[in-house]
Amino acid sequence: MDTHRTGDLQIDQDPDAQRHHWIAERVGWTVITLVILAALLGLFGSGWLSEASVGTPEGALRLEYSRFGRFLAPTTLRLQLGPDVIHEGRVSLWLNRDYIEAAQVQRILPPPEAVKAGADRLTYVLRVSDTGRPTTVTIHLEPDRVGSLSGQIGVAGHKPLRFDQFIHP
Amino acid sequence: MDAVLRAAVVYLFLLLVFRIAGRRMLSQTTTFDLVLLLIIAEATQQGLLGNDFSVTNAFLVIITLIGIEIALTALKRRSARIEKWIDGVPSIIIEDGRPLKDRMEKARIEERDILAAARTGYGLERMDQIKYAVLERNGDISIIPKQRSG
């Protein structure tokens, strides 16, 4: 190994390399700051950038969801139901099967009375009070697939809502 | 957002708790201190990660902790007052072989701790061979021996 002497010291100094390392460190600090800011804004999970909602134009359905989620970390869908989607105290809510398989449903509030499997969707029948006022259904999920998920949620007789999520590893 | 906030809160909490506990606490590396440190690490881990075991969460928590550390270092370089509050100040506990009882009492240091430091570092035998003993900011006791010729 090549060793040099500086004064009385036998030492492997390399001022050029050291200068480069210092520059690299400072670049790294900037990256860390940017990542923390992005995380605070919600790019990697909860936060302002992640909050999203879609709704049908006539206001029958409105879905609040997170654009960004994390692998096996809880996330929720909040679906607001207008009074005209509730029939005889029940609402039949469906989700596409591809989405459900990727984002495991942990819990639905209120708990469904029945679940029906269709070709490409699962339908949940929920009891809802029929008071002519809007109500909300909350679906708790734990995505176990990484990458983009595209979901569809709907109620019989109304246009479905489409939403996209990205699940970080 | 939650990962960053959790990490920041835990960082500040630990900073405060260990500052209150005193400097000697973690520099005393007895077996039990090591065990205690492991238990604290285990308990902290739960609060840091929550029920989110994704790699992204782990990376964010790590990056936040390191980020705060870098930011605090920069802050300490700028302000001597902040540095004193976070890291503490060194204090002399033995002057010319004479123990400063009051300070030792406050810092919870016994004469035998100082003698142990003198033995391990310098092979000194008695208190009167010590010129100065200083409790450093990291909790170590540094010893300056009297000149043997003197």
Side-chain angles (χ1 to χ4, degrees), chain A residues 70-72 102 143-149 166-169:
Chain A
R70 294 184 203 144
F71 182 67
L72 288 184
D144 70 345
R145 200 177 294 163
V146 170
S148 339
L149 307 181
F166 183 83
I167 306 303
H168 290 282

Side-chain angles (χ1 to χ4, degrees), chain A residues 72-86:
Chain A
L72 288 184
T75 180
T76 52
L77 301 177
R78 283 169 56 84
L79 185 69
Q80 287 167 22
L81 306 170
D84 47 339
V85 302
I86 302 165

Side-chain angles (χ1 to χ4, degrees), chain A residues 56-62 80-92 128-135 155-159:
Chain A
T56 51
E58 70 273 26
L61 292 177
R62 179 164 193 82
Q80 287 167 22
L81 306 170
D84 47 339
V85 302
I86 302 165
H87 297 293
E88 292 159 8
R90 282 186 176 76
V91 62
S92 290
V128 189
S129 60
D130 205 351
T131 55
R133 291 172 61 190
T135 182
V155 171
H158 288 267
K159 256 186 77 175

Side-chain angles (χ1 to χ4, degrees), chain A residues 29 39 46 70-71 73 168-169, chain B residues 1-2 4 52 54-57 70:
Chain A
W29 296 351
S46 59
R70 294 184 203 144
F71 182 67
H168 290 282
Chain B
M1 178 171 74
D2 48 340
V4 174
D52 180 346
S54 61
V55 179
T56 308
N57 189 32
I70 294 170

Side-chain angles (χ1 to χ4, degrees), chain B residues 48-67:
Chain B
L48 268 180
L49 295 181
N51 53 358
D52 180 346
F53 300 109
S54 61
V55 179
T56 308
N57 189 32
F59 282 3
L60 285 179
V61 165
I62 292 168
I63 241 179
T64 306
L65 294 175
I66 300 285

